[in-house]
């Protein structure tokens, strides 16, 4: 039986707006989870991103905090821990999301301390004046998203270092015949030096990322393995 994590009286909108796109990650050092989600706060700000800490029993230990908002819509968040140089350090969270404030969809990020408080303001990871980047997912050391720069939607990726871009974006998966969408990393805490982690894309295929070649290799039809990953 499921339990309610975020209470109705924690709303930022009146009347209540919908909540969507939850993403959850476990922090072993803090022995708790961080939950992020988007909420429609109504006029004038629309959809914003919130975060709340959740204990190991599944109950919220803090009210939701606004971590990204303002003009335009901020939606589709994903959260992961950022790899640190020392295992003794408290690991920060990286939250990625899409933002349409500038009339195109951009991928932005905000870095949170282990207590869920933002370290700084949100910043842009992926932007273009002629194409849209949306629905991001992250491992903490990479980000992938849906990108329409090719005339259809493909999956693109960018490596990260300490939550900031490292190198140039590259296409992971896609062709001119069909759209690709809903990327989700199948592993947690993956790094560029780790073993391949399975990714599942909504185009109907499972892909395995080849870091050395900067490409995604199709493995099998999604329908055959969906129960293992979704």
């Amino acid at each position: 039986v499921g339990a309610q994590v975020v209470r109705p009286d924690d709303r930022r909108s009146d009347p209540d707006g919908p909540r969507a796109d939850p993403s959850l990650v476990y922090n072993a050092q803090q022995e708790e989870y961080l939950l992020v989600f988007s909420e429609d706060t109504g006029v004038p700000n629309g959809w914003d991103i919130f975060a709340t800490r959740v204990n190991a029993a599944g109950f919220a230990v803090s009210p939701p905090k606004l971590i990204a908002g303002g003009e335009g819509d901020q939606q589709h968040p994903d959260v992961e821990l950022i790899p640190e140089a020392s295992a003794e350090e408290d690991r920060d969270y990286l939250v990625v999301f899409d933002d349409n404030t500038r009339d195109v969809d951009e991928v932005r990020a905000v870095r949170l301390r282990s207590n869920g408080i933002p370290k700084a303001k949100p910043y842009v990871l992926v932007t273009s004046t002629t194409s849209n980047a949306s629905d991001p997912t992250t491992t903490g050391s990479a980000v992938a998203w849906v990108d329409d720069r090719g005339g259809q939607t493909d999956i693109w990726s960018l490596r990260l270092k300490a939550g900031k871009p490292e190198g140039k974006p590259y296409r992971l998966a896609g062709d001119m015949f069909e759209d690709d969408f809903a990327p989700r990393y199948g592993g947690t805490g993956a790094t560029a030096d780790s073993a391949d982690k399975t990714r599942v894309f909504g185009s109907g295929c499972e892909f395995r990322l080849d870091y050395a070649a900067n490409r995604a290799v199709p493995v099998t039809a999604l329908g055959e393995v969906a129960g293992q990953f979704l």
Side-chain angles (χ1 to χ4, degrees), residues 52-89:
T52 187
R53 294 161 57 202
V54 180
N55 64 25
F59 297 98
V61 298
S62 64
K65 295 181 176 64
L66 177 69
I67 59 173
E71 296 181 5
D73 292 319
Q74 294 76 41
Q75 293 181 273
H76 309 121
D78 193 28
V79 60
E80 187 52 271
L81 290 162
I82 298 176
E84 297 288 355
S86 170
E88 287 73 33
E89 296 181 61

Side-chain angles (χ1 to χ4, degrees), residues 5-230:
V5 175
V6 182
R7 300 178 302 179
D9 55 353
D10 286 329
R11 299 281 186 177
R12 291 297 184 95
S13 55
D14 186 15
D16 293 346
R19 287 169 167 161
D21 309 316
S23 180
L24 188 73
V25 66
Y26 183 65
N27 188 329
Q29 290 175 311
Q30 302 295 320
E31 297 184 336
E32 65 181 23
Y33 297 88
L34 186 75
L35 170 68
V36 298
F37 59 90
S38 55
E39 179 179 331
D40 186 354
T41 63
V43 178
N45 290 338
W47 289 88
D48 293 334
I49 307 294
F50 294 85
T52 187
R53 294 161 57 202
V54 180
N55 64 25
F59 297 98
V61 298
S62 64
K65 295 181 176 64
L66 177 69
I67 59 173
E71 296 181 5
D73 292 319
Q74 294 76 41
Q75 293 181 273
H76 309 121
D78 193 28
V79 60
E80 187 52 271
L81 290 162
I82 298 176
E84 297 288 355
S86 170
E88 287 73 33
E89 296 181 61
D90 285 339
R91 295 176 64 183
D92 290 345
Y93 300 100
L94 182 69
V95 180
V96 297
F97 56 94
D98 56 49
D99 187 304
N100 67 3
T101 301
R102 296 194 278 201
D103 296 325
V104 294
D105 289 332
E106 302 174 317
V107 174
R108 299 191 182 191
V110 59
R111 185 165 177 164
L112 309 182
R113 296 182 174 89
S114 58
N115 61 5
I117 303 299
K119 268 193 167 182
K121 294 180 180 180
Y123 53 91
V124 175
L125 284 180
V126 182
T127 186
S128 171
T129 59
T130 59
S131 61
N132 294 285
S134 61
D135 198 10
T137 181
T138 186
T139 64
S141 58
V143 60
W145 66 94
V146 177
D147 196 296
D148 66 4
R149 72 184 69 186
Q152 71 287 323
T153 58
D154 299 324
I155 307 301
W156 284 65
S157 184
L158 176 67
R159 297 185 186 184
L160 306 174
K161 185 176 183 179
K164 297 296 181 67
E166 182 180 42
K168 295 182 179 181
Y170 54 92
R171 189 173 67 175
L172 277 181
D175 55 45
M176 67 179 67
F177 302 108
E178 62 180 353
D179 290 332
D180 296 89
F181 53 92
R184 285 297 175 266
Y185 282 107
T188 181
T191 68
D193 298 323
S194 70
D196 290 345
K197 299 290 183 177
T198 297
R199 278 77 170 142
V200 176
F201 301 126
S203 55
C205 290
E206 170 198 349
F207 291 84
R208 186 173 299 278
L209 180 61
D210 182 343
Y211 283 107
N214 282 352
R215 65 190 181 96
V217 181
V219 178
T220 187
L222 181 60
E224 299 175 16
V225 295
Q228 301 178 37
F229 301 106
L230 301 182

